Amino acid sequence: MAPLIRIPRPGAAKESEATPRALYLRRRDFLGGALAGAALLVGCDGGAESRTDEAARPDEVTPRKDATSYNNFYEFGTNKTDPAENAHTLRPRPWTVAVEGECAKPGTLGIEDVLAAFPRQERVYRLRCVEAWSMVIPWLGFPLGDLLKRFEPTSKAKYVQLETLWDTEQMPLTRKPTLDWPYREGLRIDEAMHPLAILATGMYGEELPNQNGAPLRLVVPWKYGFKSGKSIVKIRFTEQQPYTTWNASAPDEYGFYANVNPDVDHPRWSQRRERRIGELAKRPTLPFNGYGDEVASLYAGMDLAKLF
Ligand SMILES: Nc1nc2c(c(=O)[nH]1)N[C@H]1C(S)=C(S)[C@@H](COP(=O)(O)O)O[C@H]1N2
Ligand SMILES: [Mo]
């Protein structure tokens, strides 16, 4: 793990971080008018919380190299460098996503249909892993809700489950029961319809690398990273809270909601602070990963220590 942590040489941190940011900003020019949600650009939210402790620093976009070589994608191995080494066996084309369950118009979409139907926007989001590290990633994607609405969920659709590909030929390590494959995650329907929840098909102005969940992955920035399932092939509307892989494997450690919450420790470590990849000093972890103004109302009246 150590070699992956960027240890800036004194005085060199600015330069090493500025390069990838400048790169992606330049690429952004080519994306034309698709830049909805400019307020979401992390550079703009520094003033929102007058954080005064020394750890409060502006969010810089994580170097692309780090975001594409330090990954969790257990289908391709459990070490952080495994996915980048092994995910070349994933074939992101052709690709289909089946939508089923409690909806009037179940059906299947090809990835090309998805790309044609839903214009991509750039969203720069913090990603906070439950393991207490974090990154800042410029995604290209569109609101999950825009896709869900097309299938006309019924009034019984209270939740949505998203399922990752499970193909032992493309993912040879999934012949072993490291997790209960296929990797499944889920959201309450109002969370899934929230405009901050996106399906990403790209990052850093390019297509998603396989190790980041090509060709289509969920990104829910106010929740721990494990909620953001990769390489999605199935979406199911359900009436009951769906089965989700990490919650089923260790319910005391990984809740269904998994909202980023510095006040609720993981049983084996504190969630108060986080290690931002590329930085030396730890940062304080923010409630809802800093997206509370947008999403806290979804949880009004809920005991988030119990429903963690
Ligand atoms: N299918 C699948 N999706 C997954 C995972 C996984 O192991 N398998 N890991 C999750 C975890 S724990 C995190 S932190 C994020 C990491 O996303 P990234 O590698 O693109 O940063 O992916 C999530 N999605
Ligand atoms: Mo994670």
Side-chain angles (χ1 to χ4, degrees):
M1 202 144 105
L4 293 160
I5 304 165
R6 179 187 294 271
I7 311 285
R9 282 163 287 125
K14 272 249 148 52
E15 189 195 325
S16 61
E17 290 177 2
T19 306
R21 181 169 174 79
L23 252 180
Y24 109 79
L25 285 172
R26 223 179 310 129
R27 288 202 192 100
R28 226 173 45 159
D29 296 340
F30 296 106
L31 298 171
L35 279 173
L40 299 165
L41 292 176
V42 286
C44 302
D45 85 340
E49 337 239 335
S50 46
R51 285 175 269 153
T52 48
D53 63 282
E54 49 150 68
R57 298 179 292 281
D59 291 298
E60 295 282 348
V61 168
T62 298
R64 182 182 186 279
K65 192 172 158 293
D66 294 339
T68 58
S69 61
Y70 185 93
N71 301 101
N72 275 333
F73 198 169
Y74 274 26
E75 286 86 338
F76 295 102
T78 54
N79 295 314
K80 293 290 179 283
T81 48
D82 288 343
E85 276 169 29
N86 298 333
H88 58 90
T89 54
L90 175 71
R91 292 189 304 269
R93 298 286 192 285
W95 193 273
T96 56
V97 183
V99 184
E100 56 183 51
E102 292 294 344
C103 60
K105 298 198 163 135
T108 299
L109 282 178
I111 188 66
E112 311 300 344
D113 307 330
V114 172
L115 288 165
F118 306 102
R120 300 201 288 192
Q121 312 165 352
E122 179 159 79
R123 298 282 183 94
V124 182
Y125 284 159
R126 288 174 290 272
L127 173 83
R128 170 55 157 86
C129 178
V130 73
E131 298 162 339
W133 54 265
S134 64
M135 300 194 191
V136 178
I137 301 182
W139 302 104
L140 294 175
F142 57 88
L144 168 63
D146 289 355
L147 182 142
L148 296 181
K149 281 173 206 151
R150 298 245 173 152
F151 296 87
E152 299 180 14
T154 69
S155 59
K156 283 185 175 174
K158 304 277 197 258
Y159 296 88
V160 59
Q161 184 190 48
L162 295 97
E163 193 172 303
T164 294
L165 175 73
W166 182 23
D167 178 334
T168 55
E169 188 215 322
Q170 295 182 62
M171 300 163 158
L173 293 174
T174 63
R175 293 192 179 113
K176 291 190 178 153
T178 319
L179 283 174
D180 179 21
W181 315 116
Y183 191 102
R184 280 152 288 174
E185 259 312 329
L187 299 167
R188 221 171 49 193
I189 196 77
D190 57 336
E191 299 178 312
M193 293 294 183
H194 192 284
L196 286 190
I198 61 168
L199 285 171
T201 58
M203 63 196 284
Y204 296 86
E206 299 173 1
E207 297 307 305
L208 273 186
N210 288 356
Q211 61 268 32
N212 293 93
L216 185 76
R217 59 89 56 85
L218 182 64
V219 181
V220 192
W222 69 95
K223 293 178 179 283
Y224 292 120
F226 71 85
K227 296 297 290 182
S228 293
K230 294 177 170 180
S231 305
I232 299 295
V233 291
K234 195 171 279 186
I235 299 177
R236 188 180 293 118
F237 295 103
T238 66
E239 189 168 13
Q240 306 298 328
Q241 183 177 304
Y243 178 99
T244 56
T245 303
W246 277 109
N247 178 242
S249 78
D252 299 340
E253 303 192 17
Y254 311 104
F256 173 79
Y257 283 93
N259 292 311
V260 174
N261 191 343
D263 297 331
V264 176
D265 288 342
H266 185 278
R268 291 183 281 132
W269 57 84
S270 164
Q271 295 290 27
R272 288 235 154 265
R273 301 197 302 153
E274 63 198 59
R275 181 171 57 86
R276 178 66 53 82
I277 300 300
E279 294 179 359
L280 216 46
K282 290 199 174 179
R283 288 175 176 260
T285 287
L286 303 174
F288 300 107
N289 203 21
Y291 301 99
D293 287 351
E294 288 88 352
V295 302
S297 62
L298 294 172
Y299 311 101
M302 279 173 62
D303 181 348
L304 296 180
K306 285 212 176 81
L307 295 166
F308 60 88

